[in-house]
Amino acid sequence: EFFYLIVHTIISPTISGCFWSKAKKTGITNLMWLFYLNRATMTKNINLGMMSIDAKKAAKTFRDHFIYAFNGLPLILQPEVKSNREAEGIIEFGRRYSSKASKRTIHDDDLNTTVMCVATAINAFDVDVFTFIWYDEAPKYKSDFSEIFRSNSGATGIQDFIVGKQFITSYTPEQSGVSFTTSKEIYYNSKLEEITEFTEGKTPSGLICCHIPAFKSWTTSFDKKTGKCNEVEAKHKIKAMLDALIDRPNEYLKKKREYANTQKDAWSVGDASSVFDPTRLNELQQDLEEL
């Protein structure tokens, strides 16, 4: 389902990207890097960008997932690497050139494709045109994510012509900072129900969104033979874990966000720093949103 949404986003002329809200530890970061690896090693002249909580975090996931998987590819599937700066999270595929060469010949089969991690900042992707931009853990950014998102939107377009797509993946953090609030606004502005006859088939954010429930990705409930998750069993395990925290409402909502079964669970208000009754506050806000 995850890869289906990627393909659906790529081929649609009206969708500019996709926002995945998810439970904690579902392996989505790994899957996104594998998607990047697949595209980068077989597509010419494209730029693939990634941003995380900070530059060091982004570079680490690049090394842990992208480089690890690339090194595991059969040699026949590994394109030539022109430049590899693992510590910075940057790799460029293409023919190597000798420093003594007086002339650099560009070959038709030269990939000339770059994968790069950038700083968590406004206009961080303002270096080239990108085929794909990926924001990981957006609700955890220290700077306002909405400003970062809007300032970098132009990197996947030439004027009003869309040439690339943007992806956002994250579980909702334990604390409700400014990026949590603005990420929530972007997520709910990406719902298909927000499309009207005046928006030309687009959501207010231009994105579409999807929540990946915890009960679909509970590690100990997977059948090793079929690869399917026993959703009924997973729901019971999650409920038992939450019931043990019912007398500690702040901790209860924190854990409910981490292992959210619904998008309401994921984006609920109240956390470990709340001074009011977070459970009651959350219920009131959800009722208000429904109205």
Side-chain angles (χ1 to χ4, degrees):
E1 294 174 357
F2 176 74
F3 287 119
Y4 166 79
L5 275 180
I6 288 181
V7 174
H8 179 69
T9 299
I10 291 172
I11 65 176
S12 172
T14 58
I15 300 172
S16 62
C18 187
F19 191 151
W20 283 275
S21 163
K22 64 185 184 68
K24 190 176 184 178
K25 302 297 182 185
T26 55
I28 295 302
T29 298
N30 186 36
L31 294 183
M32 274 300 300
W33 275 125
L34 292 177
F35 163 66
Y36 265 32
L37 177 67
N38 184 59
R39 287 303 175 110
T41 54
M42 61 185 292
T43 314
K44 296 181 184 178
N45 302 314
I46 62 172
N47 294 304
L48 310 177
M50 190 270 192
M51 180 186 292
S52 190
I53 300 172
D54 55 48
K56 289 183 179 180
K57 174 71 172 177
K60 186 179 188 309
T61 64
F62 168 79
R63 295 191 299 270
D64 290 350
H65 301 294
F66 186 93
I67 293 297
Y68 179 83
F70 174 72
N71 290 335
L73 287 175
L75 291 177
I76 192 65
L77 298 179
Q78 289 187 10
E80 193 169 1
V81 178
K82 184 185 294 185
S83 172
N84 184 5
R85 289 177 279 166
E86 288 187 26
E88 301 174 45
I90 301 174
I91 189 169
E92 183 179 0
F93 295 107
R95 293 182 182 272
R96 293 194 186 98
Y97 299 107
S98 170
S99 59
K100 297 180 180 179
S102 58
K103 196 182 257 188
R104 295 186 175 184
T105 305
I106 298 176
H107 300 272
D108 288 340
D109 59 347
D110 197 357
L111 267 184
N112 192 35
T113 286
T114 302
V115 179
M116 68 178 74
C117 298
V118 301
T120 310
I122 293 173
N123 296 322
F125 290 108
D126 193 19
V127 293
D128 214 326
V129 176
F130 284 79
T131 302
F132 301 118
I133 286 177
W134 168 29
Y135 303 95
D136 193 29
E137 311 288 9
K140 301 179 184 178
Y141 291 1
K142 293 180 181 178
S143 301
D144 186 348
F145 174 64
S146 64
E147 295 182 6
I148 293 174
F149 175 70
R150 292 185 178 92
S151 70
N152 287 293
S153 295
T156 53
I158 300 175
Q159 297 171 357
D160 61 345
F161 179 66
I162 296 176
V163 296
K165 304 291 182 175
Q166 303 179 70
F167 302 109
I168 306 172
T169 59
S170 183
Y171 81 90
T172 46
E174 295 83 358
Q175 303 296 329
S176 300
V178 61
S179 286
F180 170 84
T181 303
T182 55
S183 294
K184 179 178 180 178
E185 182 180 355
I186 293 172
Y187 180 85
Y188 279 95
N189 280 335
S190 303
K191 298 181 72 63
L192 296 180
E193 63 194 41
E194 296 297 319
I195 297 175
T196 69
E197 59 182 316
F198 307 106
T199 56
E200 301 177 343
K202 300 177 182 179
T203 62
S205 68
L207 311 173
I208 58 174
C209 64
C210 174
H211 178 72
I212 301 174
F215 65 78
K216 284 184 175 288
S217 53
W218 201 254
T219 304
T220 58
S221 294
F222 273 96
D223 187 308
K224 294 181 180 179
K225 294 180 180 178
T226 64
K228 301 285 186 181
C229 184
N230 186 331
E231 296 181 8
V232 175
E233 178 185 277
K235 287 179 180 179
H236 282 295
K237 290 180 179 179
I238 295 169
K239 184 177 184 301
M241 180 180 62
L242 292 175
D243 286 346
L245 299 171
I246 199 66
D247 59 338
R248 288 175 282 168
N250 290 315
E251 291 298 317
Y252 173 85
L253 282 183
K254 172 184 172 183
K255 193 64 68 175
K256 195 174 182 181
R257 271 193 199 171
E258 290 181 1
Y259 301 109
N261 282 330
T262 67
Q263 61 185 13
K264 280 189 176 182
D265 291 343
W267 298 103
S268 60
V269 297
D271 56 38
S273 64
S274 296
V275 294
F276 302 106
D277 179 353
T279 305
R280 179 60 180 152
L281 187 63
N282 177 51
E283 291 173 351
L284 290 172
Q285 189 197 34
Q286 289 184 359
D287 290 342
L288 181 61
E289 288 175 348
E290 289 179 358
L291 288 174

